[in-house]
């Protein structure tokens, strides 16, 4: 089981960092061989099952610190060589790329973590083993079943067609999910063509971007627009909600996987790496390697509505009902590294 937790709030560089910390965590504890100190940007209660399963399998305790990715990266940098962090896990390739650019990760070899290298495709891990995808999420087109014929849908690029004027719902350009999608397009199409596409997409917005992916799905179901761009795992949350109104919303929305006749649907990741200054490096490698095992990947798939990185793992039934699809083989390291270019391009094109 994970250790008893208490909640505290830290302020790092002006950013509020909501933290779940081991009561009484100190540097001596952080150096214990029987534990691993995890800094996580994932905020899913279901992840506790993963940590408990690891402890049961290895006897190694997991001490958890949660916060936003930016705040955690900033905190590790400010803590320097004294940081107790052993592992950083977060969502989106762009954030992993930023952490790596800041020099936070140490390489993990194939001999030390055979499960990671066996499970994670080359395009979903750092080329030198600095970080690895642990789960996947597709960024898809969701549509109002009463307003859109899915036969009229095809590619991300086609969403810039004038036929979709006033129909598109999507969150702001400041969110990393959109930056990574545009970052992949920059790599596939080039910056000038991508900027032209973004301008066309912005012209088709149903409203100024606001809210998270769930807000886009709800607005789509309500007819405020007819198409939403969202990550796949948001819809199953509504499908399986205890709230009948949310289940009714989900029933109005369909899922379409774009670019199936070409490069495939954009797939982003949640992933992690071992911190360069880790005090428990062997435990940290064991922890990451465990997260790529069959048991852990089944938990990712079953409890978080995410796609596993390990092939052959059964999906959550709701996620599976969306159907099989062709994934893009774009390098997560490359499109994550394009995020800054993508954001500047989106700003020029009026995507706020």
């Amino acid at each position: 089981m994970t250790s008893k937790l208490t909640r505290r709030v830290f302020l790092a560089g002006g950013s509020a960092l909501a933290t779940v910390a081991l009561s009484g965590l100190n540097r001596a504890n952080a150096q214990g061989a029987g534990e691993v100190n995890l800094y996580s940007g994932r905020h899913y209660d279901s992840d506790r099952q993963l940590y408990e399963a690891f402890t049961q399998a290895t006897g190694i305790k997991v001490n958890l610190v949660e916060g936003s990715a930016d705040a955690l990266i900033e905190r590790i940098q400010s803590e320097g060589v004294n940081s107790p962090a052993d592992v950083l896990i977060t969502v989106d390739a762009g954030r992993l790329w930023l952490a790596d650019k800041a020099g936070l990760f140490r390489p993990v070899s194939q001999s030390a973590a055979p499960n990671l290298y066996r499970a994670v495709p080359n395009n979903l891990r750092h080329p030198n083993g600095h970080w690895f995808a642990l789960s996947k999420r597709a960024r898809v087109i969701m549509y109002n079943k009463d307003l859109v014929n899915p036969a009229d849908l095809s590619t991300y690029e086609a969403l810039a067609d004038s036929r979709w004027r006033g129909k598109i719902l999507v969150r702001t350009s400041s969110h990393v999910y959109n930056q990574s999608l545009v970052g992949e397009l920059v790599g596939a199409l080039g910056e000038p063509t991508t900027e032209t596409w973004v301008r066309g997409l912005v012209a088709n917005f149903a409203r100024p971007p606001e809210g998270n992916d769930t807000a886009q799905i709800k607005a789509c179901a309500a007819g405020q627009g007819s198409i939403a761009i969202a990550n796949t795992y948001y819809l199953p949350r509504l499908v399986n909600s205890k709230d009948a109104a949310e289940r009714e919303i989900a029933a109005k929305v369909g899922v379409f996987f774009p670019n199936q006749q070409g490069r495939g649907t954009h797939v982003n990741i949640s992933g992690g790496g071992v911190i360069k200054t880790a005090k428990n490096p062997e435990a940290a490698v064991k922890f990451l390697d465990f997260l790529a095992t069959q048991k852990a990947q089944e938990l990712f798939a079953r409890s978080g509505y995410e796609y596993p990185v390990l092939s052959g793992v059964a999906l959550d039934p709701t996620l599976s009902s969306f159907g099989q699809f062709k994934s893009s083989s774009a390098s997560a390291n490359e499109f994550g590294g394009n995020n800054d270019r993508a954001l500047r391009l989106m700003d020029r094109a009026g995507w706020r």
Side-chain angles (χ1 to χ4, degrees), residues 133-155:
L134 300 170
S135 64
K136 303 183 293 185
R137 52 276 299 274
R139 194 146 185 81
V140 299
I141 297 171
M142 298 190 188
Y143 61 93
N144 184 306
K145 294 177 181 177
D146 293 330
L147 301 176
V148 174
N149 181 347
D152 293 331
L153 299 170
S154 58
T155 64

Side-chain angles (χ1 to χ4, degrees), residues 295-317:
K295 179 180 180 65
Q297 288 290 297
E298 287 173 352
L299 287 171
F300 273 117
R302 187 172 68 244
S303 59
Y305 306 122
E306 297 176 272
Y307 292 100
V309 293
L310 179 64
S311 62
V313 174
L315 303 180
D316 169 83

Side-chain angles (χ1 to χ4, degrees), residues 16-351:
L17 176 58
T19 306
V20 181
L22 177 68
S23 180
L25 177 65
N26 55 41
R27 195 164 302 159
N29 261 349
Q31 294 174 355
E35 60 188 15
V36 61
N37 297 314
L38 169 63
Y39 282 29
S40 178
R42 289 172 57 95
H43 308 295
Y44 314 131
D45 289 340
S46 57
D47 282 3
R48 303 297 174 88
Q49 298 175 55
L50 290 164
Y51 311 150
E52 290 169 359
F54 172 71
T55 298
Q56 290 169 1
T58 65
I60 299 171
K61 296 186 299 181
V62 178
N63 303 322
L64 176 64
V65 176
E66 287 182 334
S68 72
D70 291 343
L72 290 171
I73 291 169
E74 185 177 348
R75 177 173 176 174
I76 295 170
Q77 288 178 295
S78 67
E79 290 171 338
V81 296
N82 295 317
S83 177
D86 296 312
V87 174
L88 173 66
I89 290 179
T90 188
V91 295
D92 197 277
R95 288 164 172 155
L96 291 165
W97 187 90
L98 286 173
D100 188 57
K101 183 182 178 183
L104 299 190
F105 294 132
R106 67 167 66 191
V108 175
S109 69
Q110 185 169 357
S111 60
N115 292 314
L116 277 172
Y117 280 86
R118 181 167 53 249
V120 183
N122 289 339
N123 66 307
L124 298 183
R125 63 178 187 244
H126 186 275
N128 296 319
H130 293 188
W131 53 258
F132 300 81
L134 300 170
S135 64
K136 303 183 293 185
R137 52 276 299 274
R139 194 146 185 81
V140 299
I141 297 171
M142 298 190 188
Y143 61 93
N144 184 306
K145 294 177 181 177
D146 293 330
L147 301 176
V148 174
N149 181 347
D152 293 331
L153 299 170
S154 58
T155 64
Y156 298 109
E157 293 91 319
L159 295 180
D161 292 347
S162 59
R163 69 182 300 173
W164 303 116
R165 190 77 75 223
K167 306 296 185 183
I168 308 295
L169 296 153
V170 66
R171 68 202 300 171
T172 68
S173 63
S174 64
H175 200 278
V176 70
Y177 295 164
N178 287 331
Q179 293 168 24
S180 287
L181 170 60
V182 175
E184 178 174 330
L185 289 171
V186 167
L189 307 175
E191 194 163 327
T193 299
T194 303
E195 183 167 343
T196 298
W197 173 74
V198 172
R199 291 183 185 278
L201 186 73
V202 169
N204 290 342
F205 283 176
R207 64 179 184 184
E210 62 178 61
N212 60 13
D213 280 10
T214 300
Q216 314 314 313
I217 297 169
K218 290 182 175 181
C220 182
Q224 296 177 35
S226 57
I227 289 175
I229 299 173
N231 282 359
T232 39
Y233 65 91
Y234 285 90
L235 187 57
R237 293 178 180 178
L238 298 175
V239 171
N240 295 294
S241 173
K242 295 179 180 178
D243 186 338
E246 291 193 333
R247 296 196 301 272
E248 184 177 343
I249 287 168
K252 296 178 180 179
V253 176
V255 173
F256 184 85
F257 294 98
N259 296 79
Q260 291 303 283
Q261 303 307 312
R263 66 182 178 275
T265 295
H266 170 70
V267 170
N268 211 318
I269 61 174
S270 177
V274 177
I275 299 301
K276 183 182 292 186
T277 56
K279 307 303 186 296
N280 306 296
E282 291 184 6
V285 171
K286 286 182 181 178
F287 178 68
L288 281 184
D289 199 51
F290 173 82
L291 295 181
T293 62
Q294 178 85 17
K295 179 180 180 65
Q297 288 290 297
E298 287 173 352
L299 287 171
F300 273 117
R302 187 172 68 244
S303 59
Y305 306 122
E306 297 176 272
Y307 292 100
V309 293
L310 179 64
S311 62
V313 174
L315 303 180
D316 169 83
T318 303
L319 196 63
S320 182
S321 72
F322 298 161
Q324 297 183 337
F325 67 100
K326 176 184 177 181
S327 300
S328 169
S329 61
S331 164
N333 191 55
E334 291 181 8
F335 68 69
N338 283 341
N339 276 22
D340 283 346
R341 292 172 65 194
L343 181 57
R344 290 194 298 270
L345 179 158
M346 295 157 86
D347 284 344
R348 291 196 302 267
W351 187 344

